[in-house]
Amino acid sequence: MADSDYDFEEDASDDEYIGSKAASGRSSRASGAVGLGKRKTQEKEKGKATLAWERRGSEASIEYDLELDGDLDLGEESIRQSVQEKEEERKRKRLRKDTKPFQRGIIRHVVLVLDLSEAMLEKDMRPNRYITMIKYTQEYVREFFEQNPISQMSVLGMHDGLCIRVSELSGNPADHIAAIQGLRFPRNPKDIPKEPKGSPSLQNALELARATLYHTPSHGTREVIIVFGSLLSLDPGDIHQTIKACVRDRIRVSIIGMSARLRICQEIVSRTNAGDESEYVVATDQELLRELLLATTTPPVVRKDRSAASAESTAALMMMGFPSRVVQDVPTLCACHGVLTSGGYTCPRCAAKVCSLPVTCPSCQLTLLLSTHLARSYHHLFPLRNWAEVSWRRAREKGSVECVGCLAVFPKPPPEDPEAGARGGGGGDDEMAVDGPVGGGGKKQAPEDEEESEEQRASESSRYECRVCESHFCIDCDMFCHMVLHNCPGCLSHEPGAG
Amino acid sequence: MNAIDGTVRQVKTDDTPPPSLLAIVLDTNPHAWAHLSSTLPLSSAIANLLVFINAHLASGNANEVAVIASHSRRAQWLYPTPKGPISHHPSSNGDANGDIEMNGVSHPNGSTTTTTPAKENANKYRPFSTVENAILSNLSNLLSSTTESDLASTPTTLIGGALSLALTHIAKSTLLHSPVDPLASDNPLSALADSESVARTQRIPLTSRILIISVSGDLANQYIPVMNSIFAAQRKRIPIDILKLAGDTVLLQQASDATGGVYMKPERPEGLLQYLMMAFLPDAVARRSLVMPSAGGVDFRAACFCHRKVVDIGYVCSVCLSIFCEPNLPGNLCLTCGSYLSLRAAQTATPALVARKKKKRKRVAGTDSATPSGTPAATTPMHP
Ligand SMILES: [Zn+2]
Ligand SMILES: [Zn+2]
Ligand SMILES: [Zn+2]
Ligand SMILES: [Zn+2]
Ligand SMILES: [Zn+2]
Ligand SMILES: [Zn+2]
């Protein structure tokens, strides 16, 4: 029985797309097994709109896989199991691959370039690419500053062969979100909402990005992240010269394409990233777009070759102010907005009052922040290593019954079976083959460490093991600990040497 | 434009009050409780805490509770009881009465506290006694398994581990309570997501909060784990309440400040029950209409890594973010990571306003002599 799991999963994935189309009209006989049934029947009457929902990624396809599989007449238990495995695998793929203690560029200067050309009117994302992009980039900006509190960002837009500035380089997420929102819903009622039109120009975008990043201090990174929906770039001059200039200014460009790969994008990325093309990825659906965007919130690894080339650019001792909070009975003017506020933070150098942190002091240009802002970046510097999948054999050996983090009960190991051990590895390889169409999405350069270079896969025993404390966790805790908490509850609740 | 997405998504509203999960982290650091034993012995603190837990359970049908002990060398579940291979010794000295006296035996090690009764008290509300028995037996197991060498080795407590356990438990419970849209709820971003086409749905989610009853002083060795926990709580919108019975730490003060919890440091610890019931019983919903005790000014200044001196202007290594109190490091090498550092302001004064001019492109192209052909005329629209 166990043997069929993987094979069957592979088949299912191959047929996935056809399956989901064909299944729209079918009755959902197996849906009860996953508990998605209710939602589906709700959605079903909505006719065409179902399509949009179908595209929302694996959630939809899982259910339809089920129906296909029902025809194959497999036991309900194994269906449930493989659905669960697939779900876990999907989740684990999202784990950021930043678990190696690389030196990272914590202080980032990022120019986010949005494609506002007519290609963004395509409806392969719902309702269309443009609206999807606007929606996800707002999330993205928030997440970016959550992860990189002492970084700066600027947003540009490309349309009609031009590159326009959407928001200035600043460290305030609210500014950027308002500006991105303002593309569709201008704050000034006289402005017309921007609709995608014309063609984008990569050259103009790179030039404007270069101008924006020109004055940023050299100890920070200079990054350009382009969301690029079209399949052409309308440039006024020789883009290769611009690429050269970007390389010289040590700007690294990441491009998130849509629908297909472009030679010129590949070249831009590879030239500006020292030959590494993994920063050029193509989003084939909106879930992937969101994931690819979020992947760039992790600070980039500082490359060794580069630091050798320009040693002075890597590290610096930065003067920063740690202001104290003042509580005032009488409102006074703040230096940042010029409005009356009671309370705020005073700059320790010039005593100007600012409303929120982190901020650059408007009067003396000192960077003001809280020590907690620095602490927020520590998890990039001391990352929590990815947890390993646990084979049944290992689970039996450790005798783990429940998740250390949340006390959820694990499935019992199946009775001892000599074949079981041999099968585990083979099954894994099959899965590797399945995730082909992603097109290198999220696959970073192969790290040296063999252990960590493996794709993050689902574990057959639903357990994930911390390599340090050997505690076993469930998939939910795995996700939570790596994406939100950045602590291992197991390691932290037993001091080394304690019983 | 919105009209393209023709789905009508209904938001179901439910009138029942949201279930509330209270995760209590009880600092059981034996050193600190020994100090407190004259005013508030651990056993009576536990008795008070149990009354508080019962009050929480009683104030909502679906309310849940989780209790974690942050002990000297480990953090351990008190409730729910783990079944894991870390087996606890079956309790042997059963007391006939499941209840313990409010001013019970004042033994800091708690070796004489009551344990699981053999039979249940018929006059007691069942959920109360379940929780109570579990906490009491787990706690006495924890205390009796503490060896002298454990006590001697460290004066502090594993608050970071206990917090992490509480957070993972809350995260999982939250997931279980919102089974309809797993895609959204397992993603930290969902809370921030623009609601445009995301279905705002279904059930009223679980509201959770964490209460730390802390008696230990210095938690500096736990700085990074605790900070990570604070940020996780902040992102998940889980308030962390602090009841500081003894000692003082800036870290926990920052925890409650960052997450919007209550910080309280009572003058008279023996009034524990009063503080618990008055300040910590209301959940997040009720707090909106109450005036909650606040910590007032919070010390946000940073301590330098070299002398632990509190500074308001510091020098930060751009590689490892260590804070130093003066810029003259020996050999200009970072004391933490060893990088060679050059001194400069974090932000060069950016002439951002200049870049706003229409001619910005020319200015850039001018600085770049190696671009002979490319002076892209940004202002000229280029139509195909
Ligand atoms: Zn202001
Ligand atoms: Zn200032
Ligand atoms: Zn778990
Ligand atoms: Zn661990
Ligand atoms: Zn110092
Ligand atoms: Zn350093």
Side-chain angles (χ1 to χ4, degrees), chain B residues 316-322 324 333-339 341:
Chain B
V316 178
C317 168
S318 73
V319 177
C320 65
L321 302 180
S322 307
F324 303 105
L333 298 179
C334 169
L335 300 178
T336 312
C337 67
S339 314
L341 302 173

Side-chain angles (χ1 to χ4, degrees), chain A residues 39 42-43 46 49 56 59 90-91 94 103 106-107 109 123 127-128 131 135 139 142-143 146-147 150 152 160-162 165 168 184 195 199 204 207-208 210-211 214-215 217-219 234 236 238 241 245 248 287 290 294 312 314-323 325 348-349 360 365-367 370-372 374-379 381-382 398-399 401-402 404-409 474 476-477 480-481 483-487 489 492-498, chain B residues 1-2 4-5 7-9 12 72-75 77 80 82-85 154 158 160-161 164-165 167-169 171-172 175 180-183 186-189 192-194 196-197 223-225 227-229 231-232 234-236 254 257 296 298 300-302 305 311-321 323-324 327 329 339-348 350-352 355-356 360-361 363-364 367-368 370-373 376 378-384:
Chain A
R39 177 165 177 171
Q42 274 175 8
E43 300 280 347
K46 300 196 172 120
R56 287 203 47 188
E59 216 184 337
R90 183 180 63 81
K91 285 181 181 168
R94 280 209 235 145
Q103 181 185 335
I106 296 293
I107 297 154
H109 301 95
K123 291 184 171 47
N128 65 26
I131 294 175
K135 192 177 80 191
E139 279 182 47
R142 235 183 270 262
E143 172 74 5
E146 194 76 34
Q147 299 276 330
I150 46 177
Q152 309 257 319
D160 290 328
L162 297 169
R165 190 184 298 276
E168 296 288 342
R184 279 189 68 204
E195 286 299 321
S199 308
N204 279 343
E207 285 293 351
L208 186 54
R210 206 159 65 84
Y214 190 76
H215 292 281
S218 55
H219 55 77
L234 188 74
D238 184 1
Q241 296 296 334
R248 207 171 39 243
E287 267 317 303
R290 173 202 176 113
L294 292 185
E312 62 93 33
T314 49
L317 200 55
M318 303 169 298
M319 192 155 123
M320 289 183 176
F322 302 98
R325 189 161 67 184
R349 189 157 71 180
T360 306
Q365 306 297 325
L366 184 67
T367 302
L370 301 177
S371 52
T372 49
L374 294 178
R376 192 170 284 204
S377 293
Y378 287 158
H379 71 83
L381 301 168
F382 313 103
K398 292 290 292 178
V401 214
E402 65 197 340
V404 170
C406 65
L407 303 182
V409 179
C474 68
D476 296 317
C477 292
F480 180 72
C481 290
M483 295 182 67
V484 184
L485 185 59
H486 306 291
N487 278 344
L492 290 175
S493 36
H494 292 277
E495 210 162 81
Chain B
M1 193 50 71
N2 275 331
I4 298 171
D5 186 359
T7 48
V8 181
R9 294 194 169 116
K12 282 183 214 150
S72 55
R73 300 196 67 179
R74 69 189 125 130
W77 287 100
K83 306 178 252 331
T154 171
L158 285 180
S164 302
L165 285 176
L167 283 165
T168 46
H169 182 76
K172 180 68 166 229
L175 269 186
V180 197
D181 197 359
L183 195 73
D186 68 20
N187 193 306
L189 276 170
L192 311 167
D194 169 51
E196 189 166 272
S197 70
Y223 183 71
I224 291 179
M227 272 298 170
N228 284 340
S229 306
F231 297 138
Q234 208 175 13
R235 290 180 66 164
K236 291 287 180 187
Q254 288 179 352
D257 182 76
V298 180
F300 282 120
R301 285 174 305 166
F305 284 32
V311 291
D312 54 8
I313 294 184
Y315 299 86
V316 178
C317 168
S318 73
V319 177
C320 65
L321 302 180
I323 305 167
F324 303 105
L329 300 171
S339 314
Y340 180 82
L341 302 173
S342 52
L343 173 68
R344 58 180 79 115
Q347 224 69 62
T348 49
T350 319
R356 234 183 208 154
K360 59 202 159 205
R361 230 161 256 297
R363 184 177 52 76
V364 173
T367 61
D368 178 21
T371 317
S373 63
T379 47
T380 323
M382 224 86 44
H383 281 291

Side-chain angles (χ1 to χ4, degrees), chain A residues 263-339:
Chain A
R263 171 74 195 139
I264 186 65
C265 295
Q266 198 173 338
E267 185 167 339
I268 293 172
V269 170
S270 130
R271 293 273 302 278
T272 57
N273 287 282
D276 179 9
E277 283 174 19
S278 62
E279 297 295 320
Y280 179 36
V281 287
V282 173
T284 45
D285 61 35
Q286 47 191 354
E287 267 317 303
L288 191 55
L289 172 66
R290 173 202 176 113
E291 278 165 35
L292 293 175
L293 267 175
L294 292 185
T296 64
T297 56
T298 305
V301 173
V302 173
R303 271 186 221 100
K304 284 287 167 276
D305 51 358
R306 172 159 298 157
S307 57
S310 52
E312 62 93 33
S313 74
T314 49
L317 200 55
M318 303 169 298
M319 192 155 123
M320 289 183 176
F322 302 98
S324 38
R325 189 161 67 184
V326 287
V327 184
Q328 295 161 316
D329 298 331
V330 185
T332 53
L333 287 173
C334 76
C336 41
H337 309 92
V339 292

